[in-house]
Amino acid sequence: MTARLIDGKAVAADLRRAIAARVATLGYRPGLRVVRVGEDPASGVYVRNKDKAAQEAGFDSATLHLPEATTEAELLAVVARLNADPAVDGILVQLPLPRHIRAEAVISAVAPEKDVDGFHPLNAGRLASGEPGLVPCTPKGVMHLLRAAGCSLPGARALVVGRSTIVGRPMAQLLLAADCTVTIAHSRTRDLAAECRRAEILVAAVGRPEMVRGDWVAEGATVIDVGINRLESGRLVGDVEFEAACRRAEAITPVPGGVGPMTIACLLENTLDAAIARRGA
Ligand code: NDP
């Protein structure tokens, strides 16, 4: 058996088209501001891609690039100004921040209704309580992929490997909200292979190249690989041993071209939702 590929590029393109069509019906352009501090090279690429995608979808999008020496107080003042700006619907502070700035302080300073990254503790709490709120983009994108792949969620045994606040935890909450039976594995899990073999839906968000071995994948499972790891050769690989996993899974996301493209599409979706919640449809 060779697994069906879940084409994140195609699903993300469909979602972006639908968002652009919806934006065109509004009497205003949803406003997104991405704040970048310093010169982290990977962040530069992410921020440019976010800006470009937002503009293509008809958003009023701009990046504020602040110098590395920006103090926490100065950054908080920028966030406060964006919170108060009626033309701004979504604020995203690109991580990582320079070491002298406390990321938690900045994340908590973003107005929860403009927190399109979904990292504010209030939005995390809403998600954990099953209340509506803004949801982190990467796990939200995974839910889109599972649905696009026709995966049956209620009652399914889902395993999330990783428990970060950005991916693993919100992922587990979203699967729970979709009525899966959810297990969360992490670095202290005793027998990860056995946990994986039980999973009908396996989401890997670890950040270790091909750590989830192909023979850990249950026959017929749906595998979502969130990991993005660059090998010394320059090749990008996920957290799952892809080719071996393809021989056992029913459906699987490739890396690249799986979860990655969904993250930006879901950022646009969150910004559109935030705009409609504030300004109406
Ligand atoms: P973190 O480093 O914050 O979290 C990694 C998690 O993996 C931790 O919970 C850790 O456990 C767990 N872990 C580490 N080693 C093991 C192990 N040997 N066995 C089981 N669990 C382990 O990473 P992120 O959640 O931020 O990101 C995970 C991956 O997803 C990365 O490759 C990242 O690049 C990618 N990513 C991709 C995105 C996309 O758009 N596609 C967006 C965001 C991230 P513990 O808590 O015990 O330390």
Side-chain angles (χ1 to χ4, degrees):
M1 184 171 83
T2 294
R4 201 156 49 92
L5 282 192
I6 304 174
D7 184 347
K9 268 197 215 158
V11 178
D14 283 349
L15 182 56
R16 281 162 58 167
R17 263 193 298 276
I19 291 167
R22 187 77 179 85
V23 168
T25 68
L26 300 172
Y28 59 87
R29 297 169 74 204
L32 173 66
R33 294 294 176 271
V34 179
V35 184
R36 176 182 176 210
V37 185
E39 297 302 331
D40 178 70
S43 294
V45 179
Y46 294 142
V47 162
R48 268 194 302 282
N49 289 342
K50 286 171 185 174
D51 219 10
K52 186 163 162 275
Q55 287 181 9
E56 279 170 12
F59 290 66
D60 158 27
S61 165
T63 298
L64 284 70
H65 191 179
L66 309 177
E68 178 83 26
T70 304
T71 65
E72 186 177 303
E74 285 166 342
L75 179 56
L76 290 174
V78 169
V79 169
R81 182 166 59 71
L82 296 173
N83 284 343
D85 185 341
V88 174
D89 299 292
I91 303 168
L92 183 151
V93 180
Q94 182 66 43
L95 302 177
L97 289 167
R99 278 162 183 254
H100 62 276
I101 298 176
R102 291 169 305 152
E104 321 79 66
V106 178
I107 289 167
S108 300
V110 174
E113 67 276 15
K114 297 189 179 187
D115 167 40
V116 287
D117 247 345
F119 296 161
H120 191 289
L122 190 77
N123 283 321
R126 282 179 176 148
L127 179 59
S129 319
E131 289 170 35
L134 290 163
V135 170
C137 302
T138 300
K140 187 172 177 169
V142 171
M143 296 308 291
H144 277 297
L145 289 178
L146 288 171
R147 294 200 165 101
C151 188
S152 171
L153 298 171
R157 275 193 307 275
L159 175 71
V160 180
V161 191
R163 57 175 165 178
S164 73
T165 51
I166 293 172
V167 189
R169 280 170 206 255
M171 185 74 254
Q173 294 294 351
L174 287 171
L175 290 164
L176 186 60
D179 295 326
C180 293
T181 302
V182 182
T183 303
I184 307 176
H186 45 77
S187 65
R188 306 295 295 271
T189 295
R190 209 175 302 130
D191 188 349
L192 184 59
E195 297 295 340
C196 289
R197 288 189 179 112
R198 269 194 288 277
E200 294 164 291
I201 298 171
L202 196 166
V203 182
V206 181
R208 290 173 178 247
E210 300 183 326
M211 193 202 78
V212 174
R213 310 311 297 172
D215 67 343
W216 297 1
V217 172
E219 290 286 348
T222 299
V223 178
I224 305 284
D225 192 347
V226 181
I228 303 176
N229 309 288
R230 193 171 287 281
L231 302 181
E232 274 181 22
S233 65
R235 194 162 72 91
L236 280 185
V237 297
D239 289 344
V240 178
E241 191 191 12
F242 181 76
E243 270 161 30
C246 280
R247 291 196 283 276
R248 299 173 65 92
E250 192 276 316
I252 188 167
T253 57
V255 177
V259 176
M262 294 304 297
T263 299
I264 290 185
C266 287
L267 170 66
L268 302 184
E269 191 177 42
N270 275 352
T271 306
L272 176 62
D273 288 350
I276 290 174
R278 284 182 59 247
R279 301 203 235 180

